[in-house]
């Protein structure tokens, strides 16, 4: 689960990490007033669930309140497209109006999960700011990574080593050690899979400050934090993802034309691989999970059909817990209801498979039943080709 920059900064601030003074505004008039309160000169920052805003015109330095209002009108007027949003961009509903800080140096800093090594890892670079992706590509040696032992946690000597590698000395170095220790504590207590500060800056006055912040919470830990669901901004999510969430289905939007209905994440991955190998391009995948009911399958089918990019549907279900005749009835119910004429290929196996296949063949839908995964995948690709 993602949150906005201003919310992430509030969390950082509650862990004694300094942030610029700021106000969140919902209208361009509010932006103007906030700018006035700060004496005119400030920075307006579009709040979206993506980075790359600076280069896309979503972060702008302002000299006087009327200019703040003018920029805010522009920012609110259309979706913001950045290198991280995809071509459709994201709607801007909130703008953070922040004091303009005089920056001396910019660093990159993050704590994230290293799933391969089953631990958190601290990542830091003295070359922070808007070009960190280029640094990672061209000079990876300038990026320092430190795996954190889950038993001992981050130790001050390790934090000091990182601060020294960033080229910090004296009291700023000690401030950085404290900041890193606090950041690690925040990542643990708030169940974050990512906390990123890019840039962390040293101001001209010599203070460390988090100038940007991104936090991703671990979805599996949201239940431990009663305040998290209220922090969600639904305007930032794909409406189909929201519907899928309500029915406890996992829906992921992709860029191709084949809608995929599968049960289980492993089978979903295998399905995408086989489709790709056959020359197909998945539009999405929808995982109905292990013990899905007929209603759940029907709902999943409706969600896939609402995706305008879908030109054909591939159903790949292993009926271990779920019976194949139940799946077949779910598909027939949903496809019938929306008068679906798109080609459908079903590959299923498991309990009551023959009964399920029979129901589909007699359904009157534009459906083919594959004998195995490879056969079924090449059929849907041919039907669309
Ligand atoms: P993004 O990462 O989405 O591009 P940032 O919040 O990092 O957005 O802003 C982009 C750049 O704008 C930063 O690297 C920093 O140089 C500058 N910036 C951001 N906030 C401020 C601020 N309050 N005062 C001065 N400069 C800022
Ligand atoms: Mg940034």
């Amino acid at each position: 689960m993602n949150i906005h920059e201003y919310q992430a900064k509030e969390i950082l601030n509650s862990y004694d990490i300094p942030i610029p003074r700021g106000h969140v505004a919902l209208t361009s008039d509010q932006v103007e007033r906030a700018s006035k309160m700060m004496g005119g000169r400030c920075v307006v920052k579009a709040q979206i669930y993506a980075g790359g805003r600076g280069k896309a015109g979503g972060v702008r330095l302002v000299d006087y309140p009327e200019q703040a209002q003018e920029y805010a009108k522009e920012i609110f007027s259309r979706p913001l497209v950045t290198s991280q949003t995809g071509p459709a961009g994201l709607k801007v509903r909130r703008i953070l109006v922040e004091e303009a800080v005089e920056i001396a140096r910019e660093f990159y800093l993050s704590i994230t999960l290293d799933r391969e090594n089953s631990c958190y890892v601290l990542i830091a670079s003295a070359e922070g700011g808007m070009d960190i992706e280029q640094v990672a590509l061209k000079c990876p040696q300038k990026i320092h990574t430190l795996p954190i032992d889950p038993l001992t946690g981050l130790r001050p000597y390790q934090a000091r080593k990182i601060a020294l590698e960033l080229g910090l000395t004296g009291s700023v170095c000690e401030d950085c050690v404290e900041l890193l220790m606090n950041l690690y504590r925040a990542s643990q207590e708030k169940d974050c899979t990512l906390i990123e500060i890019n840039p962390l800056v040293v101001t001209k006055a010599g203070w460390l400050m988090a100038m940007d912040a991104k936090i991703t919470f671990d979805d599996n830990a949201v239940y431990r934090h009663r305040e998290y669901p209220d922090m969600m901004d639904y305007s930032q999510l794909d409406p189909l993802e929201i519907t899928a969430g309500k029915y406890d289905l996992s829906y992921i939007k992709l860029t191709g034309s084949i809608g995929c209905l599968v049960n289980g994440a492993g089978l979903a991955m295998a399905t995408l691989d086989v489709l790709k190998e056959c020359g197909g391009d998945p539009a999405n995948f929808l995982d109905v999970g292990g013990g899905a009911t007929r209603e759940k399958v029907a709902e999943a089918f409706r969600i896939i059909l609402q995706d305008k990019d879908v030109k054909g549907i591939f159903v790949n279900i292993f009926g271990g817990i779920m019976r194949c005749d139940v799946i077949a009835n779910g598909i027939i119910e949903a496809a019938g209801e929306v008068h679906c004429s798109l080609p459908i290929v079903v590959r299923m196996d498991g309990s009551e498979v023959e009964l399920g296949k029979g129901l589909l063949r007699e359904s009157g839908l534009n459906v083919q039943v594959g004998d195995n995964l490879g056969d079924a995948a090449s059929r849907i690709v041919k039907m669309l080709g």
Side-chain angles (χ1 to χ4, degrees), residues 53 198-199 212:
R53 298 164 302 164
N198 185 35
D212 187 10

Side-chain angles (χ1 to χ4, degrees), residues 48-272:
I48 54 171
Y49 282 180
R53 298 164 302 164
K55 287 189 175 164
V59 176
R60 300 183 75 169
L61 183 67
V62 163
D63 288 316
Y64 49 93
E66 292 75 20
Q67 193 182 30
Q69 187 179 43
E70 183 193 319
Y71 286 167
K73 275 186 185 153
E74 261 176 54
I75 291 173
F76 278 134
S77 71
R78 56 180 171 265
L80 182 59
V81 181
T82 80
S83 56
Q84 296 180 14
T85 59
L90 285 167
K91 286 177 212 149
V92 184
R93 290 278 165 78
R94 305 170 200 194
I95 288 181
L96 174 62
V97 184
E98 218 171 52
E99 70 176 296
V101 175
E102 304 264 13
I103 299 172
R105 291 184 64 189
E106 299 199 338
F107 304 94
Y108 175 91
L109 188 61
S110 68
I111 291 183
T112 188
L113 259 182
D114 177 352
R115 293 181 192 274
E116 215 157 283
N117 297 308
S118 311
C119 67
Y120 276 86
V121 62
L122 186 110
I123 305 173
S125 175
E127 310 268 327
M130 295 199 275
D131 289 316
I132 189 67
E133 286 86 359
Q134 290 303 315
V135 178
L137 274 178
K138 293 188 182 140
C139 320
Q141 75 281 3
K142 290 190 177 164
I143 297 181
H144 307 281
T145 56
L146 172 81
I148 302 170
D149 187 317
L151 281 179
T152 55
L154 180 67
R155 310 309 301 164
Y157 79 90
Q158 295 174 308
R160 192 163 295 109
K161 189 163 167 265
I162 292 284
L164 291 170
E165 268 165 346
L166 293 179
L168 299 174
T169 52
S171 63
V172 186
C173 179
E174 284 315 302
D175 287 350
C176 184
V177 172
E178 204 182 317
L179 185 147
L180 291 172
M181 299 303 291
N182 288 335
L183 195 68
Y184 177 68
R185 201 159 50 85
S187 73
Q188 302 303 296
E189 289 176 4
K190 297 291 178 185
D191 287 313
C192 306
T193 54
L194 171 74
I195 302 195
E196 184 184 71
I197 304 180
N198 185 35
L200 171 75
V201 308
V202 177
T203 65
K204 288 208 171 136
W207 299 104
L208 276 177
M209 213 181 236
M211 208 52 45
D212 187 10
K214 179 182 163 92
I215 288 185
T216 307
F217 297 129
D218 184 343
D219 289 329
N220 294 313
V222 167
Y223 78 96
R224 295 207 284 213
H225 305 270
R226 271 202 286 175
E227 70 280 19
Y228 286 1
D230 288 338
M231 294 169 88
M232 289 264 267
D233 178 358
Y234 288 97
S235 75
Q236 301 296 300
L237 304 180
D238 181 334
L240 292 182
E241 256 170 55
I242 300 172
T243 314
K246 278 190 202 147
Y247 290 90
D248 210 16
L249 303 161
S250 342
Y251 168 86
I252 307 288
K253 176 82 184 112
L254 302 167
T255 52
S257 59
I258 304 173
C260 302
L261 197 162
V262 288
N263 65 334
L267 193 60
M269 295 300 146
T271 304
L272 299 189

Side-chain angles (χ1 to χ4, degrees), residues 310-360:
V310 169
K311 302 287 178 263
I313 299 171
F314 186 47
V315 180
N316 185 16
I317 302 267
F318 182 76
I321 302 171
M322 209 185 324
R323 285 187 1 225
C324 292
D325 56 322
V326 173
I327 321 266
N329 277 325
I331 295 172
I332 294 165
E333 179 188 313
E337 192 181 288
V338 293
H339 307 292
C340 169
S341 56
L342 296 177
I344 306 170
V345 174
V346 180
R347 179 264 170 173
M348 38 188 199
D349 217 335
S351 340
E352 304 294 352
V353 63
E354 288 313 320
L355 183 59
K357 283 182 179 173
L359 286 169
L360 285 171

